[in-house]
Amino acid sequence: MDTLETRELRYFVAVAEELHFGRAAERLGMAQPPLSRAIQQLERRLGVCLLQRNRRGVRLTGAGEVLLHEGRAALDATAAAARRTRRAGGADSPGGPRGRLVLAVKAAASHELLRKLLDAYAAEPDSAEIEVLPCGISEQEELLRDGRADVALMHTPWNSLAGFDSEALTTEGQVAVLPAGHPLAARETLSLADVRDVPDLPLARWPTQGTYAPGPGPEIHNQTQLAQLIALGRTVAVVPDSARSWLWAEHTAVPLTDAPPVVTHIAWPAHSRSLALAGLIRTAARL
Amino acid sequence: MDTLETRELRYFVAVAEELHFGRAAERLGMAQPPLSRAIQQLERRLGVCLLQRNRRGVRLTGAGEVLLHEGRAALDATAAAARRTRRAGGADSPGGPRGRLVLAVKAAASHELLRKLLDAYAAEPDSAEIEVLPCGISEQEELLRDGRADVALMHTPWNSLAGFDSEALTTEGQVAVLPAGHPLAARETLSLADVRDVPDLPLARWPTQGTYAPGPGPEIHNQTQLAQLIALGRTVAVVPDSARSWLWAEHTAVPLTDAPPVVTHIAWPAHSRSLALAGLIRTAARL
DNA sequence: GTCCTGTCATACCTGCCAGGTATCACCGAG
DNA sequence: CTCGGTGATACCTGGCAGGTATGACAGGAC
């Protein structure tokens, strides 16, 4: 009947993630019995069975899956409220810091665009201070959701824009990056099929949502590593056009005819109302 | 440092909405002093001044505005978690009710489409039960956010799809609905300028977000009322093509050449993961 | 079968804090 | 000046969150 408390959600999410009361309690910094009791109370209040306590471990019920998902979203929203409020604090003092904005960008992506955006925005009449927060591409959405960032430069098709407002800024093609001496490097253009089926050059794999797709290619952790592996003739990678800026002399980029185009968007939490953010978006749209 | 509690958010939102501790306390069913103290604690914990207590009333600071906005979103997300979990409860019992879905539709909009959608979905192999929740167009987004609904049929440009996933279903033009005898009713087509400037027929006004735009036309509360006023020759309205289904004999619909097209979307909370919902969306996309 | 181990639930206690009542301090209107 | 209306303070109390100790129960090893 009454509303869920943040504490209850935190407890349930911990248990649902660990699937183990003892470990969850440890993670929460508390003893196991009160945690068990809190979850029981939660189930009673919701009138729903959340966990299947088998003799030997715990499993989520359907309702539990729902609460895990929705509860995470609610906790994110709550954390975002706290963080954004703190960040806005003190913005009243006349002459004080105008609300700072945190911009999440995938490290080293959209170099040029980012530089132009920051310069253009700084030149605006009353621009806020922008803090650039470099992060992995899969973190951006989380940062925006839980309030650690206010706005992000995202790249479809890798990022999902679901749940955010966004505006498309630029579109670019993709290129295959090959070792300079490789036979394919002499071609004018390539197709995805061409680079997927090179026996001596397995396609590099990078993590999506923290896990690597199966495949023969090496697992890539960062750009420098990728650059080196390509230069050594051990792999080939498909990257957006703008990545040419960080290529080495031993690399050759060949345009791909059938790779999906990469669109850079500026994205922000839906219904964000902030003058500073609106100004940044306006500036970006004019680039 | 630590996380905001739902209770604190509820208290703050009440005070921020009422701008009056006494009334807020009454609304919350509690006494005023503990409420004052709770807000003070909240400010201390966040390290931020949220309210400007003038002698004689209360005003929001910038940080307070942020917390009001973000706090409402967090409370909505929390309420949604509770509601959707309750709704999913019992879905485990084999043969029990497969997760019910609540579909929010503007009353009387998209008749035909809705009927086709419900029929087609019911014919699917393992379809869930769909509860149709008729509501005003401005309520739909709120219902989706706070979990009272799982999916909605929305109409741009009236609804905002920001924050939701969505898929476009149909596009239609708009028509002007005039009293049958009116001179303009004889025309083949009209432009928006034509209907806006008819001296004897001021354009009907309906509420957007609960308030009426200023203007000479009558304020409309429901469709029947609108139909009657048009039939009486007192007003003219611009409505989507599909609204022809509820017109009277005394009405004439004339296509508008320059009205923005109305797109019907099926929309749902971003990142919703539910088999029943996925099935409904798939069915809708095939129509 | 009999341990032992790992798990979650129960019983019971305690200290903190949310919330209540009574009252104060302050200011503007008359 | 007094009065009404506001939010803040002082102080008390009951409920509940959380801790400790222990139980119930199921597997696995043998």
Side-chain angles (χ1 to χ4, degrees):
Chain A
M1 210 42 49
D2 40 5
T3 153
L4 291 185
E5 284 301 319
T6 306
R7 185 179 49 85
E8 302 178 285
L9 285 178
R10 235 180 29 241
Y11 289 3
F12 176 74
V13 169
V15 173
E17 285 178 354
E18 299 283 348
L19 290 178
H20 189 291
F21 280 79
R23 279 194 300 273
E26 192 182 2
R27 203 174 96 181
L28 292 164
M30 66 187 293
Q32 169 260 318
L35 178 59
S36 280
R37 211 186 28 183
I39 300 290
Q40 284 174 302
Q41 276 180 6
L42 179 63
E43 287 180 306
R44 215 166 330 119
R45 282 208 358 225
L46 288 173
V48 156
C49 178
L50 298 170
L51 297 167
Q52 197 96 30
R53 281 94 156 163
N54 279 345
R55 32 193 140 275
R56 215 78 182 177
V58 176
R59 269 193 358 230
L60 283 174
T61 65
E65 303 257 14
V66 170
L67 186 58
L68 175 58
H69 190 256
E70 301 272 332
R72 274 187 186 134
L75 288 176
D76 277 347
T78 306
R83 275 193 259 259
R84 298 214 169 96
T85 303
R86 280 214 184 85
R87 211 177 297 143
D92 299 299
S93 39
R98 305 186 51 80
R100 204 159 31 100
L101 278 183
V102 178
L103 171 64
V105 294
K106 165 160 177 5
S110 305
H111 268 336
E112 283 311 307
L113 178 65
L114 179 58
R115 166 180 301 278
K116 278 195 293 183
L117 174 60
L118 291 177
D119 287 350
Y121 181 64
E124 288 282 307
D126 38 26
S127 55
E129 184 190 339
I130 304 270
E131 178 184 332
V132 176
L133 176 60
C135 60
I137 208 161
S138 57
E139 292 169 85
Q140 294 185 291
E141 298 159 42
E142 194 186 336
L143 291 173
L144 228 47
R145 260 197 304 271
D146 74 10
R148 278 175 294 172
D150 298 302
V151 55
L153 289 182
M154 292 190 169
H155 305 269
T156 55
W158 298 309
N159 286 116
S160 157
L161 299 172
F164 305 117
D165 269 0
S166 65
E167 195 133 336
L169 300 181
T170 61
T171 302
E172 56 188 325
Q174 297 197 64
V175 295
V177 183
L178 299 148
H182 195 274
L184 284 181
R187 299 267 292 271
E188 278 297 307
T189 63
L190 291 168
S191 73
L192 279 178
D194 289 333
V195 294
R196 244 199 285 273
D197 297 335
V198 193
D200 55 333
L201 277 189
L203 197 60
R205 292 174 298 136
W206 29 51
T208 48
Q209 271 94 44
T211 60
Y212 290 87
E219 299 186 349
I220 301 302
H221 299 80
N222 61 59
Q223 216 146 47
T224 312
Q225 185 191 13
L226 174 65
Q228 180 165 34
L229 285 172
I230 297 173
L232 291 173
R234 310 299 277 265
T235 191
V236 56
V238 174
V239 300
D241 227 20
S242 62
R244 288 181 137 126
S245 59
W246 53 261
L247 292 193
W248 298 3
E250 296 105 315
H251 294 155
T252 300
V254 180
L256 288 161
T257 52
D258 58 349
V262 176
V263 184
T264 303
H265 295 79
I266 184 167
W268 62 96
H271 305 113
S272 246
R273 298 195 177 288
S274 138
L275 286 174
L277 178 57
L280 181 66
I281 295 162
R282 209 171 341 106
T283 305
R286 273 203 292 259
L287 287 183
Chain B
M1 210 39 51
D2 39 3
T3 154
L4 291 184
E5 283 301 318
T6 306
R7 185 179 49 86
E8 302 179 285
L9 285 177
R10 232 178 34 237
Y11 288 2
F12 175 75
V13 168
V15 173
E17 284 178 354
E18 300 282 348
L19 290 178
H20 189 293
F21 280 79
R23 279 195 299 273
E26 192 183 359
R27 201 174 97 181
L28 292 165
M30 66 187 293
Q32 169 259 319
L35 178 58
S36 281
R37 210 185 30 183
I39 301 290
Q40 285 174 304
Q41 279 180 3
L42 179 62
E43 287 181 305
R44 215 166 331 117
R45 285 215 347 232
L46 288 173
V48 157
C49 177
L50 298 170
L51 297 167
Q52 198 98 29
R53 279 97 158 160
N54 281 344
R55 33 195 134 274
R56 219 79 185 173
V58 177
R59 274 198 349 238
L60 282 175
T61 66
E65 302 258 14
V66 170
L67 186 57
L68 175 57
H69 190 255
E70 301 271 335
R72 274 187 186 135
L75 288 177
D76 276 348
T78 306
R83 276 193 258 259
R84 298 215 170 95
T85 303
R86 280 215 185 84
R87 210 176 300 142
D92 297 300
S93 39
R98 306 186 52 81
R100 202 160 30 102
L101 279 182
V102 178
L103 170 65
V105 293
K106 165 160 177 5
S110 304
H111 267 338
E112 283 311 306
L113 179 64
L114 179 59
R115 166 179 302 278
K116 277 196 293 186
L117 174 59
L118 292 178
D119 287 350
Y121 181 64
E124 288 283 304
D126 37 25
S127 55
E129 183 189 341
I130 303 271
E131 178 184 333
V132 176
L133 176 60
C135 61
I137 208 162
S138 56
E139 294 167 86
Q140 293 184 293
E141 298 158 41
E142 194 187 335
L143 291 174
L144 228 46
R145 259 197 306 271
D146 74 8
R148 279 175 294 171
D150 298 303
V151 55
L153 288 182
M154 291 191 172
H155 305 268
T156 55
W158 300 309
N159 285 117
S160 157
L161 299 172
F164 304 118
D165 269 2
S166 64
E167 195 131 336
L169 299 182
T170 62
T171 302
E172 54 187 325
Q174 297 197 65
V175 295
V177 182
L178 299 149
H182 196 274
L184 284 180
R187 300 265 294 271
E188 277 297 308
T189 63
L190 291 169
S191 73
L192 278 178
D194 289 333
V195 294
R196 245 199 284 274
D197 298 334
V198 193
D200 56 332
L201 278 188
L203 199 59
R205 293 174 298 136
W206 28 52
T208 48
Q209 270 93 45
T211 60
Y212 289 87
E219 298 186 347
I220 301 303
H221 299 80
N222 60 59
Q223 217 147 48
T224 312
Q225 185 191 12
L226 174 64
Q228 181 165 32
L229 285 171
I230 297 174
L232 291 172
R234 311 299 276 264
T235 190
V236 56
V238 174
V239 300
D241 226 19
S242 62
R244 288 184 137 124
S245 59
W246 53 262
L247 291 193
W248 299 2
E250 296 106 315
H251 294 156
T252 301
V254 180
L256 287 161
T257 52
D258 58 349
V262 175
V263 185
T264 303
H265 295 80
I266 184 167
W268 62 94
H271 305 114
S272 243
R273 296 197 178 290
S274 136
L275 286 175
L277 178 56
L280 181 66
I281 295 162
R282 208 170 342 105
T283 304
R286 273 203 291 259
L287 286 185

